[in-house]
Amino acid sequence: MRKLTGFLAIVGGLALLVMILGGLFALVGALSRPGVPDATVLELDFETPLLEARPGDPVAKLMMKDTPVLRDLVDAIDRAAGDERVKGLVARVGAAPIGLAQIQELRQAVTRFRQAGKFTVAWSETFGEGGGGNGAYYLATAFDEIWMLPSGDLGLTGLIYESPFIKGTLDMLGVTPRMDQRYEYKNAMNTFTEKSYTAPHREAMQRLADSQFDQIVKGIAERRGKSLDQVRALIDKGPFLGEETVEAGLVDRLAYRDEVYAAARERAGEKAELLYPAVYLERAGRPHDKGETIALIYGIGGVTRGKSQFSPVTGQAAMGSDTVSAAFRAALADKKVKAIIFRVDSPGGSYVASDAIWRETVRARDKGIPVIVTMGNVAGSGGY
């Protein structure tokens, strides 16, 4: 018995020693980790697509590890806004397929940063390069200054919406589609049942286009000191070449990348260092790390039964009712959770899966837990 007691004492002592050494190594690692320089410029790159959330699948997570997440960018900008060590923000804006809702969230974050009294500069090689540059330019207008390469152009040309119709092809093949439609504005099936827009379908698309166009025009007008009519007139004239963008008051300066960064360092200090959002957050920590606990649940992609999925090949996601429902139940079981934010970016899908998720939101509200929905680029049909 004494031998057993002695053996257990030795094991316990070794375990305690390992814990102490582990703590010391962690402390040394934390102390030796580089901090945020006293003169820092936050550097963002909007030439790459954004993820709404990091995929849960291990393979997809590994393949998409370098793809920025929208929340990380917003967190970095917000954290830097209140950080005296960060003097300004420089962002490369380009042709990345960023949705309008994501653009507006980024614009709001940049606005908060700018209102903290720090400089912001957006630069681009080109806004469109012969194609549409509406979204990229709309994002750039949130910054104090917009710079562009002399060889660049600004594709500020308005919006266009297109819908495919293949009924004529099906008729030639002798195929008759048999599909149900719930009221005239549920137009997803029109691709197969119509040869052109029906009046309700055209009305829906026109209202969507008008709404988005008006928001873009208003945002540009407010930031570039122009009237709504002036911005609409400029869009009617677009696209614009380099010198024309400056003459029209749409771009502040034509310059190259090295000139942009030289000017940023001059304003922040000669020894200023540039930090990407991921590096900055790792060193400075995230905002909103104190106070009550709020659960953040993502519903991304078409609504399906089963588990949520993400394909790193196609970039397509699926909002699985099993995964999302389980997340709600876990939040309800956690006594520290005081509210739930449900981020939805989905065109819809399975009615049954949507109903299962809806039930979990009702259960949360019935238990006194507020559920706040924030919509991404799309929240249609079952997603809504």
Side-chain angles (χ1 to χ4, degrees):
M1 187 67 180
R2 290 180 179 177
K3 290 183 178 180
L4 178 60
T5 303
F7 174 74
L8 292 176
I10 293 173
V11 172
L14 289 174
L16 180 61
L17 179 61
V18 169
M19 291 175 62
I20 293 173
L21 290 175
L24 288 174
F25 282 128
L27 178 61
V28 171
L31 293 175
S32 61
R33 185 182 304 157
V36 177
D38 290 335
T40 296
V41 176
L42 193 63
E43 180 182 13
L44 287 84
D45 187 353
F46 295 123
E47 277 279 8
T48 58
L50 297 180
L51 291 174
E52 275 287 348
R54 191 72 63 195
D57 178 80
V59 176
K61 184 182 294 185
L62 178 63
M63 295 182 67
M64 306 297 290
K65 64 182 179 65
D66 294 327
T67 304
V69 175
L70 176 63
R71 177 171 172 260
D72 291 345
L73 298 183
V74 173
D75 276 358
I77 296 171
D78 283 342
R79 177 72 175 84
D83 190 339
E84 294 181 354
R85 297 166 296 183
V86 180
K87 309 303 181 183
L89 171 63
V90 174
R92 181 189 186 193
V93 182
I98 304 175
L100 184 60
Q102 294 177 327
I103 287 174
Q104 290 180 334
E105 289 199 43
L106 291 168
R107 289 182 94 250
Q108 291 169 0
V110 172
T111 298
R112 292 191 292 270
F113 184 93
R114 197 181 66 243
Q115 290 174 343
K118 306 185 179 190
F119 73 85
T120 58
V121 178
W123 72 278
S124 179
E125 294 175 350
T126 178
F127 292 98
E129 195 172 17
N134 303 285
Y137 181 72
Y138 177 49
L139 173 56
T141 57
F143 293 74
D144 289 317
E145 299 176 14
I146 302 175
W147 296 32
M148 187 178 72
L149 262 62
S151 56
D153 61 76
L154 173 54
L156 191 62
T157 55
L159 305 179
I160 181 172
Y161 283 73
E162 295 180 323
S163 301
F165 299 100
I166 64 171
K167 186 178 185 302
T169 302
L170 295 178
D171 288 346
M172 293 173 60
L173 297 173
V175 177
T176 302
R178 299 187 182 278
M179 299 175 178
D180 293 326
Q181 183 181 35
R182 187 175 178 83
Y183 301 115
E184 65 273 21
Y185 288 98
K186 295 290 286 185
N187 50 48
M189 299 305 174
N190 288 7
T191 293
F192 307 99
T193 61
E194 305 293 337
K195 294 182 179 180
S196 61
Y197 283 109
T198 62
H201 191 175
R202 181 178 293 278
E203 179 188 357
M205 296 297 287
Q206 186 64 56
R207 289 197 177 188
L208 180 61
D210 289 344
S211 174
Q212 293 188 339
F213 182 72
D214 289 346
Q215 292 176 64
I216 291 173
V217 169
K218 181 180 179 182
I220 294 174
E222 290 176 347
R223 292 296 302 142
R224 300 306 295 181
K226 300 181 182 299
S227 69
L228 299 179
D229 288 340
Q230 286 176 322
V231 174
R232 290 193 179 96
L234 286 169
I235 291 174
D236 288 340
K237 289 182 179 180
F240 299 89
L241 298 177
E243 289 291 347
E244 294 173 336
T245 64
V246 178
E247 294 171 0
L250 298 171
V251 170
D252 296 293
R253 181 174 171 182
L254 301 179
Y256 292 94
R257 180 188 184 280
D258 61 293
E259 295 175 299
V260 174
Y261 283 89
R265 283 194 170 92
E266 183 178 345
R267 296 176 70 171
E270 291 184 3
K271 296 183 179 180
E273 294 187 30
L274 296 162
L275 291 182
Y276 278 115
V279 177
Y280 173 72
L281 285 177
E282 182 181 346
R283 298 184 184 183
R286 289 184 179 272
H288 321 303
D289 58 352
K290 297 179 181 178
E292 302 288 0
T293 299
I294 298 176
L296 174 60
I297 299 174
Y298 285 95
I300 310 300
V303 187
T304 62
R305 295 172 60 236
K307 295 183 178 180
S308 296
Q309 299 178 1
F310 181 87
S311 171
V313 178
T314 63
Q316 297 298 310
M319 184 202 312
S321 58
D322 287 357
T323 302
V324 177
S325 296
F328 270 93
R329 290 193 294 271
L332 288 181
D334 190 338
K335 295 182 179 180
K336 295 183 295 183
V337 173
K338 304 302 180 183
I340 297 172
I341 294 178
F342 188 23
R343 175 69 170 186
V344 178
D345 187 1
S346 169
S350 166
Y351 165 71
V352 174
S354 301
D355 191 35
I357 296 172
W358 172 84
R359 175 59 184 171
E360 298 300 333
T361 68
V362 172
R363 290 184 63 242
R365 289 187 286 120
D366 288 346
K367 290 189 176 183
I369 303 297
V371 179
I372 298 93
V373 173
T374 167
M375 297 182 181
N377 292 322
V378 182
S381 192
Y384 180 77

